[in-house]
Structures are given as structure tokens and as C-alpha cells.
Amino acid sequence: VAPNAQLMEIRVLMSFGAGWTSMIVNGMIYASIYGPDWIPFSGDEADIISMSLGGLEEYNDGTEDLENFYVNYLTEMTGVVFSIAAGNDGPSMNSVGSPGDSDYAITVGAYAEGERFELEFAGYENISDGIADFSSRGPRMDGMLDPDVIAPGVYILSSLPLWYAYAAYWSGTSMATPHVAGAAALLISYAKQHDLSYDPFKIKEAFELSAKKIDGIPNYEQGFGLIQVDKAIEKIKELSDEQTTL
């Protein structure tokens, strides 16, 4: 999605996919404040943090977990953009978990392209585009909208650990989230090259205001809709002259 982007790979869970909240929070702090040289704010910190993890709590209003606090705090403090998976607890409503339901995160649901399904399974035709059945839906417990946007998340060619396979086609909001992270990298790169004023809130708003609505899908399933990078770039140009208000 973003050619020549530099990756900072941080492991915050154990090999079987579980871990402590402190491990995740420490990874967020390391990426946004320290970076590889372990010197705070020296310039090698992450511009974007992509998180394909989370858990669904009994009460999900965006404040239910320590991870939610740190997503919001680090966004405001450091200017890092969080792209976080909505989760795979759909199709039930009110199923977006933490930290994806944080106020300042770009919460990402999974878009299912009918053409991909037809290519994967021979014999099926005229499959309509829509939201993947597993993709977590909103709204949050307090009524706020989630997910914010959707991105391709069904039958996506993904790299895998060498002990598993070199690559394979996988589905999940974990596949959709890196699409948005890469798209955010393109927006930030464009803004830097053209001396545009930007921050995490303008990046998120640019995606939301330029997204494409999928006909027949309610807002609590798709948020603002499918991201469109070219139109988001045009939108960040407009938002550059506006003042960010929280």
C-alpha cells in the first residue's frame, strides 16, 4: 500500500496469541515515544501504529480498558496515528472491542469484495460487495459510531511466519487494518512533501469524509464507508487550513 515505508515490528503478544495488557501498552509507548534508539522524541518514532489485536469486554464504551486510555493519550501527546482492528466478533451489533473502540483510533472493519469470493470459490457468480460477516459491528455501548471505516479484509494475500508458511490468503479485520495504516502513511507522506498541516485527527477525518458508502449497509456496520486514498489526499489538502478541535 505504501511503497518504501519503513516498518518497526514490535512483538507484544506471546507466540500463541495471548499476553498481558502491560505488554501491549509498553509496545505502544516504545513505538510512539522511544523508537529503536530508545531516546525519547529523537525522530525515529513511529508515525502510525497498526494494531490487529483486541478483546471484547462486557461493557464497551471506549473507556473500558487501559489500552483505550493510552491510545487516546499517546495520540494527543505524540501525534501518532492509530489504525486498530474492529474485531472479528460479528455479525452481532455492539461487538467492537478494546482498543479498537478508542475515541481517537481509526477503527477498521472488513470489506468483502464479491469478486475475490468468486475467484476463491469456483462456481459462484454475481456475489455482491458488502461487509464480512465476521467483522465486528457498532455502535458502542454509549451509542457512538464504530467502526470508523472499512477496508479490504477477505482473502487477502498476507505474509506469515516462516515456520507456518511464507504467505497465504487470510481473512479478518487484521487484514483490513494494515490497509488503512498504509493509506495513512501515504497521506502523511503527501502532507510532509507539500508542507500541509496535519495531525491524527485530520488524517482520521480525511478518511471519513472521503469514504465511499456501500449501498444497503447500515452505518453501524461500515462506519463512514470504504476508504478511498486518492480522495482522502484531496480532503487532507482542504483540512490543512482548518484548526483541529477536540
Side-chain angles (χ1 to χ4, degrees):
V1 176
N4 298 321
Q6 293 180 309
L7 301 180
M8 185 191 306
E9 299 172 354
I10 302 171
R11 179 174 172 177
V12 297
L13 299 176
M14 290 174 278
S15 59
F16 54 89
W20 301 103
T21 297
S22 60
M23 298 162 64
I24 299 172
V25 170
N26 284 338
M28 294 158 60
I29 292 173
Y30 170 80
S32 60
I33 295 179
Y34 291 98
D37 65 3
W38 280 101
I39 301 174
F41 304 116
S42 64
D44 66 343
E45 302 80 32
D47 292 308
I48 303 151
I49 295 178
S50 179
M51 299 176 66
S52 292
L53 51 78
L56 180 58
E57 302 290 341
E58 189 171 326
Y59 192 93
N60 59 335
D61 66 345
T63 64
E64 69 271 21
D65 197 286
L66 188 64
E67 295 167 35
N68 296 75
F69 170 82
Y70 273 99
V71 168
N72 296 336
Y73 174 69
L74 293 172
T75 298
E76 194 166 355
M77 176 189 178
T78 70
V80 68
V81 175
F82 279 93
S83 174
I84 306 182
N88 302 325
D89 292 304
S92 299
M93 295 176 62
N94 183 228
S95 53
V96 177
S98 169
D101 62 349
S102 303
D103 287 339
Y104 295 167
I106 303 175
T107 311
V108 186
Y111 173 64
E113 298 171 276
E115 185 176 2
R116 283 184 178 272
F117 192 92
E118 293 169 12
L119 290 173
E120 185 72 14
F121 298 100
Y124 288 89
E125 297 180 353
N126 301 318
I127 303 297
S128 60
D129 300 334
I131 308 301
D133 58 353
F134 57 77
S135 187
S136 290
R137 272 74 164 165
R140 293 191 325 197
M141 191 71 75
D142 61 352
M144 294 296 290
L145 180 68
D146 260 336
D148 297 305
V149 292
I150 54 175
V154 176
Y155 303 124
I156 304 300
L157 182 62
S158 176
S159 60
L160 295 170
L162 295 181
W163 54 263
Y164 188 92
Y166 287 100
Y169 287 93
W170 281 50
S171 298
T173 54
S174 293
M175 299 293 104
T177 300
H179 280 90
V180 175
L186 293 177
L187 262 64
I188 291 174
S189 178
Y190 184 91
K192 288 181 177 180
Q193 291 176 13
H194 295 83
D195 295 320
L196 300 179
S197 172
Y198 74 93
D199 56 40
F201 309 101
K202 289 182 180 179
I203 296 295
K204 180 176 180 177
E205 189 175 3
F207 283 128
E208 292 176 339
L209 297 181
S210 63
K212 175 185 177 182
K213 282 288 188 183
I214 308 302
D215 293 339
I217 305 297
N219 291 344
Y220 68 81
E221 294 189 7
Q222 65 173 315
F224 284 82
L226 180 66
I227 62 166
Q228 301 183 104
V229 178
D230 55 342
K231 291 180 171 55
I233 288 176
E234 294 302 313
K235 187 59 64 174
I236 199 68
K237 290 160 65 175
E238 298 176 16
L239 296 172
S240 174
D241 297 328
E242 298 184 9
Q243 182 177 358
T244 299
T245 57
L246 300 181

